[in-house]
Amino acid sequence: MKTISIAIDGPSGAGKSTLAKSVSKTLGYLYVDTGAIYRTIGYAAFSKGVDPKDGEAAAALLPELEIGLHYGEDGLQHMTLNGADVTDQIRLPEISLYASAVSAHPAVRAHLLEMQRKLARENNVVMDGRDIGTCVLPEADVKVYLTASSLVRARRRYRELTEKGIACDLKEIEQDILDRDHRDMHREHSPLVQAEDAVYLDSSDMTLDQVVDAIGRLIDQKIDGQAGGRA
């Protein structure tokens, strides 16, 4: 039986993970947060004092990394690094910069490409990231490019961090987001771009429910007959 894949791309903080989790729960699909996988490698580089911009050094780390993805009793995706749960650590602000830097290296992307595609071959998936619809799953049944203004994204990240008791500055967060946008969109390999057949969706002035409803209608239009409709 053919599996169904939904690709959600967009810049950092656009709400891709929140949207993908909600859609995957509604459909009963496997949710794959590819950004968390790259963050795990970024965290490994950070922990070992490796310069994330050094492609050779980042590639040299890969053979010794055992990266795991599983779902805990809380229903959330957890990431493990060499057997240790690093789900919380990889969300620290400084790891965003490491993740962005290591994800620009072809060796790192190639290392993870087959892992991501294998998940899509074996499961119905909702996968989010920066290049899912363009590189990882170019034949995805549904593609969405989700974005929001830099200020809206910064406010979301600020709220997320402060709720966890992490001290942060809104202006610094927005500048970090703008810097990451520039790096992701201008990197040589697999830059962040909207796939030609992706639906553009700006969530700046939308609630989560409104975004989920919009995606739900799109899924119905694209794969209703193939998937037998949504429950």
Side-chain angles (χ1 to χ4, degrees):
M1 179 179 177
K2 182 187 182 300
T3 57
I4 296 170
S5 56
I6 300 172
I8 301 177
D9 288 313
S12 175
K16 300 185 300 296
S17 296
T18 301
L19 173 62
K21 289 174 188 174
S22 181
V23 171
S24 64
K25 184 176 181 180
T26 299
L27 295 174
Y29 288 8
L30 176 68
Y31 165 56
V32 182
D33 177 1
T34 62
I37 302 174
Y38 285 105
R39 281 176 174 269
T40 301
I41 295 180
Y43 177 71
F46 173 79
S47 300
K48 293 181 176 294
V50 171
D51 180 357
K53 296 180 181 179
D54 186 333
E56 291 186 4
L61 273 179
L62 299 176
E64 60 187 76
L65 303 184
E66 182 180 336
I67 298 173
L69 180 159
H70 70 278
Y71 288 83
E73 294 181 359
D74 54 9
L76 301 178
Q77 176 179 296
H78 285 248
M79 298 303 303
T80 59
L81 177 62
N82 295 336
D85 192 313
V86 295
T87 305
D88 291 334
Q89 293 92 319
I90 66 174
R91 295 299 173 184
L92 295 174
E94 56 266 33
I95 303 304
S96 293
L97 302 177
Y98 273 75
S100 180
V102 298
S103 68
H105 303 310
V108 174
R109 305 198 72 83
H111 183 76
L112 297 181
L113 185 61
E114 178 52 26
M115 172 184 176
Q116 296 168 53
R117 287 179 173 172
K118 185 173 186 291
L119 288 169
R121 286 197 301 268
E122 298 177 351
N123 306 272
N124 292 327
V125 299
V126 180
M127 192 175 293
D128 71 63
R130 302 289 194 282
D131 65 345
I132 308 305
T134 53
C135 299
V136 180
L137 302 177
E139 303 301 323
D141 298 277
V142 175
K143 298 180 185 179
V144 176
Y145 186 87
L146 183 69
T147 190
S149 72
S150 61
L151 180 56
V152 167
R153 289 185 280 146
R155 285 172 175 165
R156 291 172 181 170
R157 185 61 55 84
Y158 177 84
R159 185 166 54 249
E160 175 186 324
L161 293 172
T162 53
E163 287 176 352
K164 293 180 178 179
I166 300 174
C168 53
D169 180 84
L170 180 61
K171 290 185 178 179
E172 290 182 1
I173 291 175
E174 183 176 16
Q175 188 58 54
D176 286 344
I177 284 174
L178 291 170
D179 291 344
R180 182 164 188 182
D181 285 353
H182 186 272
R183 287 194 303 273
D184 289 346
M185 292 176 179
H186 294 85
R187 66 192 182 202
E188 182 179 357
H189 301 281
S190 302
L192 170 63
V193 295
Q194 179 183 347
E196 291 184 3
D197 53 347
V199 174
Y200 181 90
L201 188 60
D202 188 325
S203 66
S204 297
D205 299 316
M206 300 173 71
T207 65
L208 174 61
D209 287 343
Q210 289 173 328
V211 177
V212 171
D213 285 345
I215 300 300
R217 290 193 297 272
L218 175 62
I219 292 169
D220 282 339
Q221 294 169 6
K222 293 281 187 177
I223 61 177
D224 184 51
Q226 182 178 356
R230 292 187 299 140

